[in-house]
Amino acid sequence: MFVIIKEDYDQMSLEGAKIVADRLRRKPNLVLGLATGSTPLGLYKELIRMHKNEGLDFSKVTTFNLDEYVGIPPEHDQSYHYFMKENLFKDLNLAPRFVHVPNGMAKDINTFCDWYEKRIKEFGGLDLQILGIGGNGHIAFNEPGSSLGSRTRVKTLDEKTLADNARFFDDETQVPKYAITMGVGTIMDAKEILLLANGEKKANAVKSAVEGPITAQCPASVVQLHQNVFVVVDKSAGSTLEGKYHDSWKRILFE
Ligand code: PGA
């Protein structure tokens, strides 16, 4: 595991974007796993800048998003479809047929989840999965207690997530109670993982994920079992880490 502690959010985002861009330059038909949330926004901005100013080409890239609410149409401004369109897709030259976000409106959700898993395999598996981390150690919608071998499936959102989300909806009845999420096992099958975290609120989760016991109580801790993980955090999120980390990972970039 390469743990990289950067000065602030902007530096964290640039570092993350460098890793993605490096992988894309090496493999133009990269299969990239994407995340929603506030954490990757800076990384996405930098990828857009690289695309516009440096010609970073996404035309052969395939993307798979981690998760989506059930019952929220793609055009709803709280859907993850909408989030990705607004914050990334509309500014890159991705081919729409290679872009995948779980379909929260699928008639048969279980069949859809099986299809999503198969589709990832059809493209040769995820080359690089971008991840945020919840304050409780969740990855995607795999909340504490999720099976570490889980695959893409429907999860019931926990009470805290429902309460956090309530402010984004006109009334409580509209707040989604379920989501489709890649499983922990799906994420672990990615060839490389890039986990980002910033801010003091993430410090305990980062400590548990990187240095704690491997446990379903902190689903992110499973990345300790993965061979190719970058954990890129800002100083606040990395403030409780005890290990000594350095930048030796740079040797494997730009060679
Ligand atoms: P955030 O969410 O990026 O909005 O902090 C991360 C997560 O919950 O996985």
Side-chain angles (χ1 to χ4, degrees):
M1 187 185 299
F2 293 103
V3 178
I4 302 158
I5 303 175
K6 304 304 290 187
E7 193 58 33
D8 56 23
Y9 177 77
D10 288 346
Q11 294 300 318
M12 175 204 81
S13 302
L14 293 184
E15 200 74 356
K18 262 192 218 167
I19 293 169
V20 177
D22 177 76
R23 286 354 189 204
L24 176 50
R25 288 192 190 103
R26 288 162 189 256
K27 189 182 178 210
N29 62 342
L30 194 73
V31 182
L32 183 60
L34 296 171
T36 50
S38 54
T39 308
L41 283 175
L43 182 155
Y44 292 162
K45 277 210 178 90
E46 177 61 8
L47 290 182
I48 292 166
R49 192 200 63 74
M50 288 171 160
H51 169 62
K52 293 200 164 146
N53 298 349
E54 297 168 13
L56 190 64
D57 181 21
F58 288 80
S59 62
K60 297 189 181 72
V61 171
T62 299
T63 68
F64 286 93
N65 261 81
L66 286 170
D67 45 15
E68 175 60 290
Y69 293 123
V70 169
I72 301 283
E75 59 277 8
H76 191 290
D77 65 4
Q78 292 306 317
S79 75
Y80 287 176
H81 276 82
Y82 186 88
F83 177 99
M84 291 309 300
K85 191 173 133 219
E86 287 303 306
N87 293 300
L88 190 67
F89 297 158
K90 73 175 165 57
D91 293 311
L92 297 181
N93 64 333
L94 287 158
R97 69 184 186 287
F98 294 154
V99 171
H100 304 85
V101 181
N103 178 7
M105 300 300 284
K107 281 212 179 75
D108 181 341
I109 300 267
N110 291 332
T111 302
F112 176 82
C113 291
D114 292 346
W115 176 83
Y116 206 66
E117 288 280 329
K118 275 198 208 111
R119 186 86 175 151
I120 293 171
K121 286 203 179 84
E122 266 169 36
F123 281 91
L126 298 161
D127 289 309
L128 174 64
Q129 176 64 55
I130 297 170
L131 286 182
I133 180 171
N136 61 2
H138 74 208
I139 44 177
F141 272 124
N142 298 289
E143 300 285 9
S146 292
S147 155
L148 298 183
S150 52
R151 312 304 306 187
T152 303
R153 68 210 184 291
V154 177
K155 284 291 286 179
T156 306
L157 305 185
D158 74 20
E159 289 300 321
K160 187 175 177 316
T161 307
L162 293 180
D164 285 351
N165 288 345
R167 66 185 189 282
F168 299 121
F169 293 86
D170 294 338
D171 75 80
E172 247 176 54
T173 59
Q174 290 182 11
V175 183
K177 296 182 177 51
Y178 307 96
I180 297 175
T181 181
M182 274 189 208
V184 181
T186 320
I187 292 167
M188 285 292 284
D189 281 350
K191 294 177 191 87
E192 291 189 298
I193 291 175
L194 169 58
L195 190 153
L196 301 169
N198 66 287
E200 222 177 300
K201 279 193 195 150
K202 300 289 173 74
N204 288 338
V206 168
K207 165 91 179 143
S208 303
V210 174
E211 296 177 345
I214 296 165
T215 165
Q217 291 315 310
C218 175
S221 63
V222 75
V223 303
Q224 292 175 42
L225 293 172
H226 197 285
Q227 281 195 308
N228 302 303
V229 183
F230 294 96
V231 177
V232 184
V233 300
D234 73 351
K235 263 195 174 157
S236 311
S239 59
T240 53
L241 290 173
E242 286 169 39
K244 295 277 169 274
Y245 303 103
H246 52 84
D247 271 6
S248 61
W249 68 276
K250 290 210 163 133
R251 278 184 284 128
I252 64 170
L253 287 176
F254 314 117
E255 271 174 359

